Amino acid sequence: MATTLKAGTSWNDAWQRCLGAAPEAFRDDRVLNLWNGDWQADGRTLPATTPVDGSPIAGPPRLDADTAHQAVRASLDQHRAWRHVPLNERRARVAATLDALTQHRELLALLLVWEIGKPWRLAQADVDRAIDGVRWYVDGIDELLGDRTPLAGPVSNIASWNYPMSVLVHAMLVQALAGNAVIAKTPTDGGVSCLTLACALAAREGIPVTLVSGSGGQLSQALVRAPEIGCVSFVGGRDTGAAVATAVADLGKRHILEQEGLNTWGIWNHTDWDALTAAIPKLFDYGKQRCTAYPRFVVQRDAFDAFLAAYLPAVRTLRVGHPLAVEDAEDPYPQLDFGPLINAAKAKELTDQVGEAIDRGAVPLHRAVPDPDRFLPGQDTSAYVHPVTLLGPPPSSPLHHAEPFGPVDTIVLVDTEAELLAAMNASNGALVATLSTDGEETYERLAPQIRAFKVGHGKPRSRGDRDELFGGFGASWRGAFVGGELLVRAVTQGPAGERLPGNFPDYHLMP
C-alpha cells in the first residue's frame, strides 16, 4: 500500500536544493524575475499550490506593465550585443548551458512533478527532450544557419504550462543559438521554479535571457506589441492566441502561434484491433494535457462493437495517482500514466462538463474510480480526474467541439465517409490526426481531406523535435512552421523577399 512520500522528494527538499543550486534566483520563499541581466526582487508574488496535493509552493512574482516594458527595452540592448557574438562562442555557451541542465536534471524533473503534476517518468523525459533536442541544433548549427542573420529584436516567448522544458526552454536556447536575445513569460498556471532554475543556469553562461511573470492582460502590450520585439512565439489556447494573432498581423511582426485543435482518430474499414489496444494507454500520457493528444474517436458504426472490445480493456489498465506516493520511502518512483490535472479548478470544470454532457444525452461507457493505494492517506485529491469515455457528446457540450485537455475521450459514430471526414474536421483545423483503415488506397484517398497538419496511418503522430516539420491547419496554427531548419529560419533573417513556409493570413506582411 502506497502510504508515504518517496525519500528526499518533498517540496521543501526541492526548494532547498534550488536555494543551493541558484541562490541568485531564489530568495527565502520566493523566486525572482530576470531582466536587464540581473535577478530582480520585484513584482507582486501571488500564492500558489501544487496540483499534487494542494499544499503551498512558490508563486510567480507578477510584474506590472511599466516594468515589463523596461524589461523588453533592456532585452533589446542585450540583443544588439549578442547578435554580434561569433557563432562559435554562442555555440559554446549554449553547450555549457546544456551541461549545466544535465547536472541538475533530477532537480528540474522534481520541480515539474510538484509544479505541474507530471509523473517522474514524464518529468524526466521533458528535461531530456529539451537537452537532447538542443544538442542536435548545437551540433548542426553551421549548416542550419548558413548565411542567415539574427532578427532585428529579441524573440518573445509565451507558452502554456505543460512542457516548460521540452517546448519553452528548448525554443529559447535554439533562438539564442541563432543569435537572438530571448524573453519568456512564465506560464500562469505553473512551472515558475523549474523555468527560473533553467534560466539561471543559462544566464550564468552568458545567454541573454529575460524571464518575467505576470498576467497576459498586463504584459501583452510589452511582450507582443512592443516595437522592440522581433518575433512572437506563442503556445496556448485559441482565445488568447486569436488576440495575439490579430496583434502580430496588424504590426507585420514575425510570429509562430501554436493553438489548440480537436485532434481526432478515425476508424474506417479497420480490423487490426490489437494495434489499437496497444496504442490506447500511450494516448493518455500526462492525462492528455498536451497539444497532440487524441480526445476524439470517430468510429464506423458497423465496427463499434469491435472497437469497444479493443478499447475498453486498454483504458482499464491506466494507472493514476500521487506521483511520489510509495509503499516504502526508499521504493522506486511509482509507475503512472498520469497524476493530477494542472489545478483543482480545471478538474472541476472538466468534471462538470462530463456531468452536463451526460445529462444532455451522452452515454458513459467508462468511468474509472480512484485506487486508494496510489494516494497518501488523507491527501487533497481535488485536482485529479480519472479516465472517462463518453459516447455521443451533444452538440451543445464543449466536449463535442473543443479539446478537453484532460483524460476524457469522446466517441462519435458515423455511417459514411463524408460523415467520417466531417466529424474528424469538427474544430476547423488540428495539429495531428490518425486514420485506422486496412486499405492503403482508402488511407491515401481520405487522409488529404483531414484538416490536420500530420496524419498517421493507424499510428499516433507527435509534435516532433529536431528535423521534423511541425505546424497546423485552420485555427490551430498561425505564422511560421517550425522544426529543424525551419525553426532556425523562423527566428532569423534570410535573403531579401524570402517567404517562410507557414500559415500567414496576411502573408505579404511577413518581414
Side-chain angles (χ1 to χ4, degrees):
M1 179 177 294
T3 59
T4 190
L5 201 65
K6 180 171 172 58
T9 65
S10 72
W11 169 254
N12 186 61
D13 291 329
W15 185 254
Q16 292 303 315
R17 290 171 65 182
C18 288
L19 292 173
E24 70 272 28
F26 298 86
R27 181 174 301 172
D28 299 326
D29 61 349
R30 65 171 292 173
V31 298
L32 307 183
N33 287 299
L34 172 60
W35 61 275
N36 197 27
D38 291 317
W39 290 95
Q40 315 273 359
D42 51 14
R44 182 169 63 93
T45 300
L46 297 183
T49 59
T50 170
V52 172
D53 61 10
S55 58
I57 59 173
R62 294 163 66 109
L63 295 183
D64 57 28
D66 289 342
T67 309
H69 278 287
Q70 293 180 47
V72 169
R73 287 191 289 270
S75 180
L76 178 60
D77 292 338
Q78 290 181 307
H79 179 83
R80 288 170 172 166
W82 179 252
R83 69 194 310 270
H84 296 296
V85 171
L87 177 58
N88 283 341
E89 184 176 343
R90 298 201 306 263
R91 178 167 45 207
R93 293 189 187 186
V94 172
T97 300
L98 297 178
D99 291 341
L101 293 173
T102 302
Q103 179 184 350
H104 294 282
R105 169 180 180 260
E106 290 198 359
L107 176 54
L108 291 163
L110 185 57
L111 292 170
L112 291 179
V113 173
W114 280 111
E115 293 194 287
I116 62 174
K118 285 204 169 186
W120 181 251
R121 170 181 62 87
L122 299 178
Q124 283 191 309
D126 193 22
V127 178
D128 291 343
R129 282 180 58 200
I131 296 170
D132 296 342
V134 178
R135 283 199 194 281
W136 184 88
Y137 289 90
V138 168
D139 293 341
I141 190 60
D142 289 279
E143 182 177 351
L144 294 168
L145 196 57
D147 294 330
R148 304 183 68 82
T149 58
L151 298 175
V155 182
S156 177
N157 294 269
I158 303 170
S160 58
W161 44 265
N162 51 346
Y163 287 92
M165 293 295 299
S166 63
V167 173
L168 183 50
V169 171
H170 177 279
M172 293 166 64
L173 291 179
V174 174
Q175 293 159 7
L177 180 63
N180 303 288
V182 294
I183 305 170
K185 184 181 95 66
T186 63
T188 302
D189 288 321
V192 61
S193 294
C194 178
L195 286 169
T196 298
L197 177 58
C199 288
L201 299 176
R204 285 181 181 177
E205 302 301 335
I207 305 295
V209 57
T210 295
L211 182 68
V212 295
S213 295
S215 71
Q218 282 282 312
L219 270 56
S220 63
Q221 193 71 22
L223 300 186
V224 175
R225 290 184 171 273
E228 294 90 346
I229 299 295
C231 176
V232 176
S233 177
F234 172 87
V235 180
R238 287 194 181 187
D239 291 343
T240 303
V244 174
T246 299
V248 293
D250 289 346
L251 297 168
K253 197 182 295 290
R254 187 77 66 92
H255 57 283
I256 308 159
L257 306 181
E258 178 186 333
Q259 300 168 110
E260 64 186 321
L262 184 61
N263 305 318
T264 58
W265 191 303
I267 307 289
W268 190 260
N269 293 340
H270 176 72
T271 59
D272 187 1
W273 300 111
D274 288 344
L276 181 66
T277 299
I280 294 300
K282 283 290 294 178
L283 301 183
F284 278 86
D285 269 359
Y286 196 34
K288 301 207 173 193
Q289 296 178 106
R290 61 188 198 279
C291 66
T292 53
Y294 287 81
R296 167 68 52 78
F297 288 89
V298 181
V299 182
Q300 187 176 13
R301 191 181 306 272
D302 286 347
F304 184 48
D305 55 341
F307 170 83
L308 283 184
Y311 173 89
L312 289 176
V315 79
R316 288 170 182 149
T317 67
L318 296 171
R319 301 156 299 180
V320 182
H322 188 303
L324 302 171
V326 291
E327 183 175 350
D328 183 273
E330 302 302 325
D331 283 349
Y333 288 91
Q335 295 297 308
L336 302 173
D337 295 288
F338 61 94
L341 299 192
I342 185 58
N343 53 47
K346 174 61 180 178
K348 183 181 185 304
E349 173 191 297
L350 194 54
T351 300
D352 289 346
Q353 288 178 356
V354 168
E356 290 170 2
I358 293 172
D359 289 343
R360 297 174 187 175
V363 178
L365 300 176
H366 174 72
R367 282 187 282 191
V369 296
D371 179 352
D373 290 348
R374 297 192 184 277
F375 296 90
L376 299 179
Q379 78 161 85
D380 183 338
T381 59
S382 58
Y384 291 78
V385 174
H386 299 268
V388 176
T389 306
L390 301 179
L391 173 65
S396 60
S397 168
L399 297 177
H400 179 80
H401 54 78
E403 181 183 23
F405 228 62
V408 177
D409 277 348
T410 57
I411 300 172
V412 174
L413 301 183
V414 296
D415 297 296
T416 67
E417 289 184 356
E419 290 178 347
L420 174 82
L421 292 170
M424 293 189 72
N425 293 331
S427 71
N428 182 28
L431 303 178
V432 296
T434 291
L435 179 61
S436 289
T437 184
D438 292 344
E440 188 68 32
E441 181 277 332
T442 301
Y443 175 80
E444 295 294 336
R445 177 166 48 82
L446 296 179
Q449 302 178 66
I450 299 170
R451 288 182 57 77
F453 187 73
K454 296 182 181 181
V455 181
H457 189 181
K459 296 179 180 178
R461 297 306 313 272
S462 67
R463 188 179 198 276
D465 299 322
R466 307 181 186 182
D467 59 347
E468 186 179 18
L469 182 66
F470 188 58
F473 273 120
S476 69
W477 194 281
R478 289 289 186 273
F481 291 156
V482 297
E485 180 186 4
L486 288 187
L487 176 53
V488 174
R489 289 175 64 186
V491 295
T492 54
Q493 296 282 9
E498 176 190 49
R499 292 187 173 184
L500 298 175
N503 289 335
F504 296 105
D506 296 293
Y507 210 104
H508 65 282
L509 294 175
M510 287 304 300

